[in-house]
Amino acid sequence: MNILIFNGSPRKKGNTMKMIEAYRAGVQSVVPDASIEIVHLYGLNYKGCLSCFGCKRDNSPSYGHCVINDDLKPLFEKTAAADGLVFATPIYFGEMTGQLKSFLERLLFQYHSYEKDSRSPAPKKVPTDMIYTMNVTNETKNKLGYDSYLCNMENRIGHIFTRPKIYNAFNTYQFSDYSLYRAEVFSEPNKAAYRNDRLPEELSAAFSGGAAMAKAILTKY
């Protein structure tokens, strides 16, 4: 079993990684020897889609393959062989980070078809999941309409691979000490209470998501 988890956060020890680690533990609870690679996108050198259309060339071996030669080229070889894909990101201004968005542009556009039946040249359908972490509550997320921003990419992922399940961590800490920053709109005591009471539930949900991913792969989705 081979699962790739893409970390779209610039931090390797932050809230997003806590959710990733819980998710990975969930996979391992079902398949202890599963191959689970965490890819830190901020450590790679690449840009978003350059609109060169090399992946759309007719009668060409490049059809369905991104032709840009950068750090994503070997990574796309891994995604083509993976049994499951997980995309994790903090939410910036109601959307995924630019680093993850640029990666998904490249990953998905090569498999996006302009044929009449929209048949994708992706090598196979695989289960996918999304992990979101954000410093607002679920109520604020709904009030601000975050889902309307995020659903477009989720739909694209669903069309190419499978519809992702969503796992959220809300009301996260941005700073270890709020007294050092001008952030009057947030209450550190309230965030501390949420972290103590609700974060364990969110991590448990991510753990269950990893276990569900592993079971889906074992049963061929």
Side-chain angles (χ1 to χ4, degrees):
M1 183 179 297
N2 177 19
I3 296 174
L4 293 175
I5 303 178
F6 300 97
N7 177 24
S9 171
R11 300 175 180 176
K12 294 183 179 180
K13 296 182 180 181
N15 300 301
T16 304
M17 273 304 300
K18 290 178 182 177
M19 292 286 283
I20 288 174
E21 293 292 357
Y23 188 99
R24 177 166 64 176
V27 173
Q28 293 171 331
S29 72
V30 177
V31 182
D33 62 348
S35 173
I36 308 167
E37 181 178 356
I38 299 173
V39 180
H40 298 286
L41 294 177
Y42 273 83
L44 302 179
N45 183 23
Y46 66 93
K47 296 179 180 180
C49 180
L50 300 181
S51 196
C52 69
F53 298 108
C55 62
K56 302 291 180 281
R57 294 282 296 187
D58 194 18
N59 298 316
S60 169
S62 70
Y63 183 75
H65 300 280
C66 183
V67 299
I68 301 172
N69 188 14
D70 59 12
D71 286 356
L72 294 191
K73 186 172 184 178
L75 192 54
F76 289 154
E77 295 176 1
K78 292 183 178 181
T79 59
D83 298 309
L85 302 173
V86 184
F87 310 100
T89 178
I91 298 301
Y92 293 171
F93 293 108
E95 300 188 73
M96 63 182 62
T97 61
Q99 201 78 358
L100 179 59
K101 176 68 161 49
S102 293
F103 168 75
L104 287 172
E105 283 181 3
R106 296 271 300 281
L107 173 65
L108 299 177
F109 189 63
Q110 64 185 334
Y111 299 142
H112 178 70
S113 173
Y114 285 165
E115 299 178 44
K116 289 183 178 179
D117 60 1
S118 297
R119 183 176 67 254
S120 172
K124 59 182 177 179
K125 293 279 188 178
V126 296
T128 67
D129 285 332
M130 303 289 303
I131 295 173
Y132 297 131
T133 62
M134 60 198 80
N135 72 333
V136 299
T137 63
N138 187 28
E139 294 75 17
T140 300
K141 180 202 72 142
N142 293 333
K143 181 180 179 181
L144 296 177
Y146 283 12
D147 289 340
S148 64
Y149 300 125
L150 298 169
C151 69
N152 181 56
M153 196 59 76
E154 294 166 4
N155 290 338
R156 296 293 178 183
I157 292 170
H159 176 71
I160 301 297
F161 299 112
T162 56
R163 179 73 183 183
K165 298 180 178 64
I166 311 299
Y167 302 96
N168 295 299
F170 297 108
N171 205 18
T172 58
Y173 263 63
Q174 288 180 292
F175 323 115
S176 59
D177 183 353
Y178 273 70
S179 68
L180 300 177
Y181 302 90
R182 187 173 297 184
E184 294 91 345
V185 297
F186 298 113
S187 166
E188 186 173 8
N190 288 346
K191 282 188 173 289
Y194 188 98
R195 182 174 62 181
N196 292 335
D197 296 340
R198 298 291 299 279
L199 180 59
E201 298 175 7
E202 294 165 341
L203 293 173
S204 178
F207 179 95
S208 298
M213 167 75 82
K215 292 175 182 177
I217 294 171
L218 289 175
T219 57
K220 297 186 184 299
Y221 323 138

